[in-house]
Every structure is written in C-alpha cells, then in structure tokens.
Amino acid sequence: MDLILDVGNTNIVIGVYNNDKLLHLWRYATSNVSTSDVFGLFIDNLLTRWDIDSKKIQHVIISSVAPNVMHSLENSILKYFNITPIIANCTMSSNISLDVFEDPNFLGVDRYVNCIAGFNKYGGNAIIIDFGTATTYDVIDKNGNFVTGITSPGIKISADALSQKASLLGTFQISKPESFIPTNTLESLQVGLIYGQIGQTEYIVNKIKKELNKPDMKVIVTGGLSSIISDGTDIIDFVDTTLTLDGIKLLLDENK
C-alpha cells in the first residue's frame, strides 16, 4: 500500500492506495502541523481506526506547496513508518512535458500532478482548473504538452480579504446562495463570491478556447469548491475531487 500526502496552504489531504484503488481519504488543517509527533500520531491513529496495518505501507510520497511544515512531515514519516518519503517535484518523470519552462519547478508541483492525472484519466486537449487557495487554470494539448497556465485569487482568499478589510462583515461561511437576488449581507457576499467565481471561470475558459482556436477542449475541475462552482455553469465537463491525489499516485508509480 502507498501513503499519499497532498500538502496545500490550507489543508493536507491524506490518501491510502492499495495498488490503484483509493481506500480512504482524510483532511487535516495545515496550520495544525506543529511537531513530527503530532502529525505522526494523527496518521497512525487514522490508519488504526480504519483497520489499516501501517506495516503494509511500502511507499510514502509528499507533494507540498507549504515548505514551512515539511521538516515536521518528513520526520513524522521517518519516525512512525520507518520510510524515507519521496518529495514530489516537477522534474520527476511523467508523460507531461513542461518544455515551456526553463525551470519546470516554476509551475508548482500541485499543478503538475493535476496535469498528470487529467491527461491519464481524461486525455489531452484539456483545461484543468483547481479551485483551491488560489484558482488555477492549466492547459495541456493532445500530446500531454503543457501549453499555458493562469492563476487568480481563490474564493477563500477573496472571502478572507473581505473579512479583514471590511471589519463590519466579519467571518462567514462560503456556500452557494439560494437566490441570485440577495436580501441580506450574508447572501450578498455569497452571491458575489460564488457567482463571481463562476463568471470568471466561464470567461477565462471561453477566452482560452478562442485564443487557442480549440472550441472542443475538455474542462476538468477539482478542489474543495469544485462541486459548488460546477452546479452553476454548463461549461465544466468533469468534476474530479481526487484528481490531485491520483496525480501524485501516478507520479509515485512512475518514479518509485
């Protein structure tokens, strides 16, 4: 079995695969990682709770965009699993070409593994969107060549900025409003955030298709808010909430 860690700025997604099958998936707040013991015990308890023998874990791979927690994470794997984890990066072998970059790691490993999974699961000629801390749009052609990428502030970043800069608004839950015509402050914020993101998504996707003269490109989305966004538009072809984990697993299989 393989243990897969997708370390984002907000959450750490933890997955256990038996061959190609994802057995379980958990989320852990990145901010909670303080020491190797805290994180190591957390994972060990998860595996025990779900009757997974930690001694059967053969490989561990970490894909991270949060370098400040990596020392604790790496040490936790060494200490509690006696395994040296593989640290994913964009120079590792895959069927995605990043020749557009002088330094492939400029892209970000999270986006690289999204492209790997998108290409392997759905084929090329695709736009892959990740609604995470940032919202990212990555384009791969029919042969798996990376074409271009676009980055914009994510919904949570926008919500946090509103809360911090407009103190009377306070914190609020990000969810899809029942009506597009708000009748209170909370609904007003939700309409602006959710439908603003939907409008941005439709505009950028249509613009990419037009600029590349590829109107038939597939649109694949992932990330915690992907289901909410996809419910409000017909421009999305596939919603895949495990895309990033699957991409890390594919990268592990190619390089272990």
Side-chain angles (χ1 to χ4, degrees), residues 98-132:
L98 300 180
D99 289 344
V100 68
F101 296 108
E102 291 183 9
D103 177 11
N105 284 309
F106 178 79
L107 176 65
V109 68
D110 54 337
R111 300 171 75 163
Y112 183 45
V113 296
N114 280 346
C115 290
I116 293 171
F119 185 74
N120 278 270
K121 297 176 74 173
Y122 304 100
N125 193 32
I127 303 170
I128 300 168
I129 308 172
D130 190 341
F131 297 106

Side-chain angles (χ1 to χ4, degrees), residues 7-254:
V7 184
N9 291 301
T10 304
N11 291 311
I12 300 172
V13 181
I14 305 161
V16 174
Y17 285 77
N18 185 17
N19 296 319
D20 294 330
K21 183 181 179 181
L22 177 60
L23 299 180
H24 292 289
L25 180 153
W26 305 277
R27 294 182 184 275
Y28 187 75
T30 306
S31 58
N32 287 342
V33 178
S34 54
T35 68
S36 58
D37 288 322
V38 167
F39 193 69
L41 285 170
F42 175 76
I43 296 180
D44 193 52
N45 288 336
L46 279 180
L47 299 181
T48 301
R49 169 67 178 80
W50 292 96
D51 297 323
I52 297 173
D53 185 355
S54 61
K55 293 180 180 179
K56 292 184 178 180
I57 300 294
Q58 295 178 302
H59 305 95
V60 180
I61 184 169
I62 304 174
S63 170
S64 174
V65 296
N68 58 309
V69 302
M70 286 301 292
H71 179 73
S72 292
L73 294 187
E74 291 183 61
N75 283 338
S76 70
I77 300 303
L78 280 166
K79 186 173 183 179
Y80 285 84
F81 295 90
N82 197 29
I83 295 173
T84 300
I86 296 170
I87 309 303
N89 64 74
C90 296
T91 62
M92 294 171 71
S93 176
S94 80
N95 53 5
I96 296 296
S97 171
L98 300 180
D99 289 344
V100 68
F101 296 108
E102 291 183 9
D103 177 11
N105 284 309
F106 178 79
L107 176 65
V109 68
D110 54 337
R111 300 171 75 163
Y112 183 45
V113 296
N114 280 346
C115 290
I116 293 171
F119 185 74
N120 278 270
K121 297 176 74 173
Y122 304 100
N125 193 32
I127 303 170
I128 300 168
I129 308 172
D130 190 341
F131 297 106
T133 303
T135 299
T136 58
Y137 305 78
D138 294 315
V139 181
I140 51 174
D141 68 16
K142 64 180 181 179
N143 297 314
N145 298 305
F146 184 87
V147 177
T148 190
I150 296 169
T151 306
S152 68
I155 296 178
K156 189 176 186 306
I157 288 178
S158 300
D160 289 345
L162 281 171
S163 296
Q164 293 168 11
K165 298 299 182 180
S167 56
L168 288 177
L169 296 178
T171 58
F172 54 92
Q173 182 179 1
I174 302 173
S175 60
K176 187 177 179 181
E178 294 184 4
S179 170
F180 189 80
I181 308 301
T183 58
N184 57 57
T185 302
L186 177 58
E187 289 177 355
S188 174
L189 293 167
Q190 291 173 338
V191 167
L193 286 167
I194 300 299
Y195 286 101
Q197 182 71 76
I198 290 171
Q200 178 197 100
T201 301
E202 291 180 338
Y203 181 84
I204 290 179
V205 166
N206 285 327
K207 196 71 172 176
I208 290 172
K209 290 181 176 181
K210 183 178 180 180
E211 291 289 323
L212 295 177
N213 193 27
K214 294 182 178 180
D216 59 340
M217 296 186 80
K218 297 181 288 289
V219 179
I220 306 157
V221 301
T222 191
L225 296 169
S226 55
S227 297
I228 293 177
I229 301 302
S230 64
D231 285 344
T233 178
D234 58 4
I235 206 167
I236 293 169
D237 297 303
F238 304 101
V239 178
D240 191 333
T241 57
T242 65
L243 188 77
T244 307
L245 271 189
D246 291 341
I248 301 170
K249 167 63 174 167
L250 287 165
L251 193 64
L252 171 65
D253 290 343
E254 181 72 18

